[in-house]
Amino acid sequence: MPVPRRRARRTVLLIAGAAVLGALAGTVTGYAVQYHREPTALPPLAQQEMDAPKPAAMNDATSRRSIDAARWHKADEDLAKKLVDVPGGAQDGFSGAVSADAFAASWYLQPSEAVGDLIRDRVKSVATASWAENDRNFVEVHLLQYRDRSGAEGFQSGMVAYMPDKEYAGNAGKDFPGVPADFGHLWIDSKAHEEPGYHPVRQARALIRRGDIVMVVQYTNNRGEVDEKALVEIAKRQMERL
């Protein structure tokens, strides 16, 4: 049979009870007095409004960046400064930082999955330059900088894996001249992509990795012919900027 706990002295209980009742009475009185007073306004919280640029409506003076400047970081500017210059007199020229989701939307067939892959691989910033040399040749230069080399290597290995498919170049390509085989590659479509009512489109692509940065140069011709020398020249100029 368990032994019951020893009872505390009665005097201690009486004193403790009186103390509790006294504190409770004081609290009730305080609430009663405060109830009849006007409420005191609380001081404003610090930094209620962040000092950040507000999104701008699109017009002739805005750019992709100025539509929502809050999405950009200084690191994006640093990468964009490394882009090859858009040639003077080129048509539809653009050069600057782009968001990961904008790049995914323009580059991948399944953008929603692609942007997840880019984030998972820790892409840091993306920059793009594009222009039209004339009504036949179109150039795109993309720089992707990752937070470590593994992300850049993943992007490179993925492209090397899918480019031989017939939906893309349809061949294994070749090493980029002057670049070690593990760091540069070049593809030219085996045949032009043709659809009724459209000019035959043929593409060439150069892929070069340098540290945590991957550069992709895509050269498109809408008459079915690609100038490989022109692609190599643009890619080499971009390499010099890196």
Side-chain angles (χ1 to χ4, degrees):
M1 186 175 202
V3 178
R5 295 181 58 188
R6 181 178 296 178
R7 295 181 180 179
R9 294 181 181 180
R10 184 178 181 185
T11 303
V12 175
L13 290 175
L14 291 176
I15 293 175
V20 172
L21 290 175
L24 181 60
T27 301
V28 173
T29 302
Y31 276 114
V33 173
Q34 185 64 31
Y35 178 78
H36 295 288
R37 292 178 179 175
E38 292 292 330
T40 302
L42 295 175
L45 297 175
Q47 297 183 350
Q48 296 224 2
E49 293 185 3
M50 300 298 293
D51 186 14
K54 294 182 179 180
M58 183 178 291
N59 55 46
D60 294 338
T62 58
S63 64
R64 300 184 193 183
R65 181 185 179 89
S66 62
I67 294 174
D68 190 352
R71 300 178 64 187
W72 308 97
H73 189 271
K74 186 178 183 299
D76 301 326
E77 297 178 356
D78 294 339
L79 184 64
K81 291 177 182 178
K82 297 178 181 179
L83 284 167
V84 65
D85 293 331
V86 175
Q91 305 171 9
D92 300 325
F94 169 79
S95 179
V98 297
S99 61
D101 54 346
F103 172 74
S106 65
W107 186 257
Y108 294 97
L109 294 176
Q110 298 175 321
S112 59
E113 295 182 9
V115 72
D117 291 341
L118 290 170
I119 294 172
R120 186 190 64 244
D121 293 338
R122 304 184 68 196
V123 67
K124 184 177 180 181
S125 51
V126 183
T128 293
S130 61
W131 65 88
E133 295 180 343
N134 44 47
D135 63 344
R136 297 187 178 189
N137 298 316
F138 306 88
V139 180
E140 294 180 24
V141 180
H142 303 285
L143 300 181
L144 292 89
Q145 184 171 20
Y146 291 82
R147 298 191 182 278
D148 52 50
R149 292 190 178 188
S150 62
E153 291 172 352
F155 183 94
Q156 178 189 11
S157 61
M159 184 175 294
V160 171
Y162 69 70
M163 283 299 289
D165 295 347
K166 63 180 182 179
E167 292 84 0
Y168 298 97
N171 59 76
K174 59 183 179 180
D175 296 339
F176 189 90
V179 177
D182 291 340
F183 296 92
H185 215 72
L186 171 67
W187 297 269
I188 298 177
D189 290 353
S190 297
K191 61 179 182 179
H193 299 270
E194 299 185 38
E195 293 185 19
Y198 295 91
H199 290 300
V201 175
R202 197 168 198 157
Q203 293 183 328
R205 186 179 299 183
L207 167 68
I208 299 171
R209 179 174 64 84
R210 186 169 185 177
D212 57 1
I213 297 179
V214 178
M215 62 167 267
V216 181
V217 181
Q218 184 161 285
Y219 196 92
T220 304
N221 176 275
N222 63 4
R223 294 297 189 274
E225 299 180 358
V226 169
D227 187 347
E228 180 179 344
K229 292 183 179 179
L231 168 67
V232 172
E233 181 183 352
I234 296 170
K236 286 186 174 181
R237 284 195 281 121
Q238 179 59 75
M239 288 172 59
E240 293 175 356
R241 296 296 296 267
L242 292 177

